[in-house]
Amino acid sequence: MERKMVRSPGGGFFVETTVPEQREQANGVLFPRLLQPGGGGGGAAASDLNSLVGAIKKHKSWLEQQLKLSGAVLLRGFGVHTAEDFNAVVEAFDYPELPYIGGAAPRYKVVGRIYTTNDSPPDQTVTFHHEMAQVPEYPGKLFFFCETEAAEGGETPIALSHVVYERMLKEWPEFVAQLQDKGLLYTRNLTDGDDLTSAIGRGWQSTFLTEDRVEAEKRAAKLGAQLEWLADGGVKMITGPMPAIKEDELRQRPVWFNSMVSASTAWKDSRNDPEKACSFGDGTPLPRNAVLACLQILHQEKAAIPWRHGDILLVDNTAVQHSRNTFVPPRRVLASLVK
């Protein structure tokens, strides 16, 4: 049962509520923040899309403060029903869009700044990761929108990466020291064209947004990646060394910012072996027990709130990792990546 807790500025347009799946942080703030209509805002119906757009513009700094405190904010019950509605909400925040160059997941544009999320089959889990942590330019924030709830499962679990770092440092100090010294190297074989049967099936044309191999090589170089063309028309992409731990400058604390667990356990299809997908920056293998221990920590620290139609989840991509549970269709969750 949800219960009202606190009201926001602006006549209580946003009201914080709780659900059992949230986690309480050390600072007492719930993760994620859950905001629902409070009925305020100059008499306008808080569940009306136009009123929400206006409230976002008016109270953007307050919403950003909630994101800073919690790491993620879930907006629920605000009259957002379609991809077009979601696009209007994203545009109201007025963040610059980030092109999806270098990412692994197959996804396609829906409307405006809105794209599908990972289009891999529903029986495949998308393991915890920071979006595009394996390339130098990654999104600062992520928006997710539930257009259609799954019949079963399909949550988007999230976890705070500073907590993951603190636990790994305490439980695996030598491994963390090696990561800080060497960084990580990522290796992925890309197809000639997208493979929708794979969670990492984004082909090289979609990855680099070009059909030209020379241009692809130029764009790969900007990402710090090398390409090795394969006989079947695909390409091996080697990226790094990339830092495994970075400073969250907004909150002044280190975070476990990498795709190590995802690459080492889930970059698996007919072309890719997850045990070869990620290594120390010098090419030496990662200790398997440390990788699996990190995965266990992520599951222990996660918050997984079941989606409802119309939900919008705003995630700070520096502070928070996300994943996707398996599900029974139908399910349609859309996304927008911003700087």
Side-chain angles (χ1 to χ4, degrees):
M1 177 68 70
E2 298 174 355
R3 61 186 178 87
K4 293 183 178 180
M5 294 183 62
V6 296
R7 288 184 176 271
S8 77
F13 187 92
F14 300 103
V15 174
E16 182 178 0
T17 64
T18 67
V19 291
E21 295 84 0
Q22 288 169 290
R23 300 184 67 91
E24 185 172 353
Q25 301 183 51
N27 60 2
V29 175
L30 293 177
F31 172 71
R33 278 280 216 235
L34 173 54
L35 303 178
Q36 292 190 282
S47 60
D48 174 74
L49 174 65
N50 291 332
S51 297
L52 173 62
V53 167
I56 289 169
K57 293 178 179 179
K58 183 177 181 180
H59 302 299
K60 180 180 174 181
S61 61
W62 181 83
L63 290 167
E64 288 178 327
Q65 181 64 18
Q66 307 318 301
L67 186 65
K68 178 182 178 181
L69 288 171
S70 179
V73 174
L74 177 60
L75 301 175
R76 172 169 284 178
F78 287 97
V80 183
H81 299 295
T82 66
E84 289 79 8
D85 293 346
F86 178 40
N87 189 63
V89 171
V90 172
E91 290 188 340
F93 278 93
D94 197 31
Y95 297 125
E97 185 176 8
L98 183 83
Y100 189 60
I101 299 177
R107 59 180 62 189
Y108 301 97
K109 185 173 182 176
V110 178
V111 63
R113 299 171 56 166
I114 309 307
Y115 290 77
T116 59
T117 50
N118 193 312
D119 282 331
S120 60
D123 62 346
Q124 295 185 15
T125 299
V126 178
T127 309
F128 282 99
H129 62 287
H130 288 276
E131 194 66 36
M132 299 170 66
Q134 71 275 17
V135 294
E137 187 175 12
Y138 50 84
K141 300 177 183 67
L142 313 173
F143 288 91
F144 296 101
F145 165 65
C146 179
E147 188 174 60
T148 306
E149 302 170 28
E152 182 180 334
E155 300 91 348
T156 300
I158 53 178
L160 287 160
S161 280
H162 77 279
V163 175
V164 178
Y165 168 75
E166 289 168 358
R167 288 196 55 183
M168 287 296 293
L169 182 63
K170 180 180 179 181
E171 299 171 31
W172 294 86
E174 293 182 5
F175 175 60
V176 173
Q178 285 183 291
L179 284 176
Q180 290 176 314
D181 180 50
K182 300 178 180 179
L184 290 168
L185 201 64
Y186 300 95
T187 302
R188 182 164 56 91
N189 292 319
L190 286 63
T191 53
D192 182 8
D194 293 348
D195 176 8
L196 298 183
T197 68
S198 170
I200 55 167
R202 193 171 179 85
W204 67 264
Q205 296 94 336
S206 297
T207 298
F208 299 110
L209 303 181
T210 182
E211 299 281 338
D212 182 82
R213 288 191 176 194
V214 174
E215 184 61 30
E217 290 173 355
K218 291 179 181 178
R219 295 182 182 183
K222 291 181 180 179
L223 299 176
Q226 295 179 337
L227 300 185
E228 298 177 9
W229 295 99
L230 306 175
D232 63 0
V235 64
K236 176 183 286 189
M237 177 180 174
I238 304 171
T239 310
M242 299 292 297
I245 297 153
K246 73 179 307 260
E247 183 74 8
D248 181 346
E249 296 180 359
L250 182 63
R251 301 169 184 84
Q252 297 293 295
R253 63 193 182 196
V255 290
W256 191 260
F257 189 85
N258 58 69
S259 295
M260 179 193 76
V261 165
S262 179
S264 298
T265 64
W267 284 13
K268 181 179 181 180
D269 57 22
S270 60
R271 300 165 301 279
N272 292 279
D273 178 354
E275 295 196 23
K276 298 178 181 178
C278 188
S279 65
F280 285 118
D282 61 2
T284 55
L286 300 172
R288 192 69 179 169
N289 54 350
V291 172
L292 296 179
C294 186
L295 176 59
Q296 184 178 29
I297 288 171
L298 283 158
H299 282 294
Q300 290 170 348
E301 299 295 339
K302 71 184 178 184
I305 299 176
W307 283 111
R308 291 186 186 175
H309 167 68
D311 281 355
I312 293 177
L313 179 65
L314 174 57
V315 173
D316 185 320
N317 189 45
T318 301
V320 175
Q321 297 194 38
H322 68 280
S323 60
R324 188 200 73 184
N325 287 344
T326 59
F327 63 94
V328 176
R331 177 189 186 269
R332 185 172 167 89
V333 174
L334 306 176
S336 183
L337 313 183
V338 302
K339 295 181 180 179

